[in-house]
Amino acid sequence: MYLEAGFVICFLACVLIAGCLLIFITFGRRRIRSIQKVREMNACGKLHLFNLLAEPFGFSYLMLQDLITTREDAWQRDFGYHAFFDRSASHFHMVLDCEPVYFYYAGETWLIEFWKGQYGINVGGEIGIYHADSILEPEQYDHALFQSVPDEKMLPLSMELFYKGSLLFGIRRRHWWLTGFRMGRYCEPEDLTMKASLTFPDVAMLNSFVKSLLYMGYSQNEVHVREFTVSFSFAVPYTLQYRKHFVYYSRWTQWKNRVLCKIYQWATKPFTCTLDQMLYLYYCLPFVFRYMLHFRKNKEQKYNRKGRGSV
C-alpha cells in the first residue's frame, strides 16, 4: 500500500517537473524568436507597428525622445475630468503631484491642470485643458464634471520635465492633453519639476489664468508673461494633495511601482529603448503589452460608466 502511494507521488512529481520543463523550453524558444523579430525590423517598421498597436489606447511614440505621448484623438477625450480621478489615483498605481488651476473666461469655468509623478512603471507629466459651460462656485469644483475642450479651444502647450535638475524630456504641441511618459523609470513626485508654458488666444484669458495662479500662492517672480504666453515652474504644489491623506497607501503603491520597474527592466534587458522593449513584449507576452498601455485615464472610463460626476 505504501509502495503504491509512493509510486503515485513519484509519478505525479515527474509529470509536474516534465510540464515545467516543457513550459520553460517553449517560453525560451518564444523569447528567442521575439528577440530576433525585433532585431530584424528597421526603425520605420518598428515605429509604424507600435503606433498602430498603441492607437486604440490613445497613445503614440516619439522616437527622437524615446517618449510615449497622447494623441489628439485619444478616446480618453470623451470622458473629461472629475476631481475623483485625482483622489483615486493611488489605487491605479499612480502617485502624483497635481496642480489644478480654475478660472473664469467667456462665461465658462475653465480648468487647466498639471500633473507630474509616477504612473505605474512610468515617470511622466501632463497638462490637461477642460471647461464647464457655466460659472461654478469654488465649492462646486470637487463635484463637477469638466469636459475636454474641442479642437478650436485647444492651446499651444509646452512642457519640460526635470528629475533632480536633469532634463528628462521636453515636448511642445497644440493640444487638449499634452503628456509625456518615460517607461521603466522610477521617481518620487517631489523630485520632479515641470517647466510649463501656455499661449492664450487673448489678454482676457491670459489675465484670468495668471490671477488664479497668484491667488493659489505663486509669486509675481514665479510667473512670467510675454505677449500671450505664460510660463512658470511646477515643483512644490500649492493646492491640496489628495495623496497626503493616504500616506501609507501611497508608500505601498510606490514600493510596488519600484518592484515593477525592476521586473520590467529585467524582462526587457535584451533592449534599451522603449520602442524595442514594448515590441518585444508584444511578440513574447502580448497580454503584458496590453496591460502596459492601460495607464493614466482608464479610470475615467470606469467612473463615467457609473454615471457619478455631473456639473
Side-chain angles (χ1 to χ4, degrees):
M1 180 178 178
Y2 292 108
L3 290 175
E4 291 178 356
F7 175 77
V8 170
I9 292 173
C10 185
F11 175 76
L12 292 176
C14 291
V15 170
L16 179 62
I17 293 172
C20 291
L21 286 173
L22 180 63
I23 293 173
F24 179 79
I25 293 171
T26 302
F27 177 76
R29 290 178 177 176
R30 184 171 184 172
R31 180 176 180 273
I32 292 172
R33 287 197 300 267
S34 299
I35 292 173
Q36 290 175 341
K37 282 184 180 180
V38 175
R39 287 178 173 169
E40 289 171 359
M41 296 176 67
N42 59 45
C44 291
K46 293 177 185 178
L47 182 62
H48 175 75
L49 175 59
F50 180 82
N51 283 338
L52 191 66
L53 295 169
E55 180 179 354
F57 299 93
F59 297 102
S60 63
Y61 178 75
L62 302 180
M63 184 174 288
L64 291 179
Q65 298 200 66
D66 192 25
L67 195 68
I68 292 178
T69 188
T70 43
R71 299 166 54 93
E72 289 183 18
D73 60 353
W75 62 264
Q76 293 91 332
R77 193 173 191 175
D78 295 334
F79 297 95
Y81 167 87
H82 192 285
F84 172 81
F85 305 155
D86 291 339
R87 290 197 295 267
S88 62
S90 59
H91 296 285
F92 295 86
H93 291 272
M94 292 178 288
V95 179
L96 312 171
D97 280 340
C98 312
E99 195 79 297
V101 183
Y102 297 92
F103 62 99
Y104 303 129
Y105 171 71
E108 297 180 331
T109 304
W110 286 65
L111 165 63
I112 300 181
E113 183 154 2
F114 306 83
W115 296 270
K116 62 182 177 70
Q118 190 71 30
Y119 300 76
I121 68 163
N122 306 275
V123 170
E126 310 170 76
I127 304 175
I129 308 176
Y130 309 91
H131 70 135
D133 58 4
S134 62
I135 298 296
L136 303 177
E137 297 299 325
E139 56 269 21
Q140 296 178 282
Y141 294 164
D142 277 355
H143 309 287
L145 177 63
F146 288 81
Q147 301 297 329
S148 306
V149 295
D151 287 352
E152 62 270 18
K153 292 184 177 181
M154 293 193 305
L155 302 177
L157 305 173
S158 175
M159 170 176 57
E160 291 182 321
L161 195 67
F162 295 83
Y163 173 72
K164 294 184 177 181
S166 298
L167 179 66
L168 288 177
F169 63 82
I171 183 170
R172 179 188 300 270
R173 285 184 178 180
R174 180 181 173 85
H175 221 295
W176 64 274
W177 179 32
L178 183 68
T179 68
F181 302 103
R182 183 62 59 78
M183 193 163 281
R185 293 286 299 269
Y186 176 83
C187 77
E188 296 296 335
E190 51 268 27
D191 292 331
L192 296 175
T193 298
M194 177 192 293
K195 291 187 177 180
S197 69
L198 310 87
T199 302
F200 294 95
D202 55 50
V203 173
M205 190 176 189
L206 180 148
N207 287 339
S208 185
F209 176 78
V210 170
K211 181 179 178 181
S212 291
L213 283 179
L214 297 178
Y215 179 80
M216 289 163 56
Y218 286 88
S219 68
Q220 294 278 3
N221 293 331
E222 293 177 292
V223 181
H224 307 282
V225 178
R226 183 176 181 181
E227 296 181 348
F228 296 112
T229 299
V230 178
S231 303
F232 71 101
S233 291
F234 167 35
V236 179
Y238 284 92
T239 50
L240 173 68
Q241 299 301 295
Y242 295 110
R243 67 185 178 91
K244 299 297 184 182
H245 297 297
F246 308 99
V247 175
Y248 294 107
Y249 190 83
S250 295
R251 289 177 180 173
W252 165 241
T253 300
Q254 282 291 72
W255 181 85
K256 290 187 290 183
N257 288 337
R258 189 185 297 111
V259 171
L260 289 172
C261 278
K262 291 181 179 179
I263 292 174
Y264 170 82
Q265 293 165 357
W266 172 81
T268 61
K269 60 185 178 182
F271 303 102
T272 57
C273 78
T274 300
L275 183 60
D276 289 345
Q277 291 168 337
M278 290 297 287
L279 289 179
Y280 164 71
L281 290 176
Y282 168 70
Y283 287 122
C284 189
L285 299 167
F287 68 95
V288 175
F289 173 86
R290 291 191 295 270
Y291 178 79
M292 296 285 287
L293 290 176
H294 272 99
F295 61 91
R296 189 50 182 131
K297 302 234 171 178
N298 292 55
K299 61 184 180 291
E300 299 184 9
Q301 186 182 40
K302 298 177 184 178
Y303 181 83
N304 279 277
R305 281 178 176 173
K306 295 177 182 178
R308 293 182 180 178
S310 61
V311 176

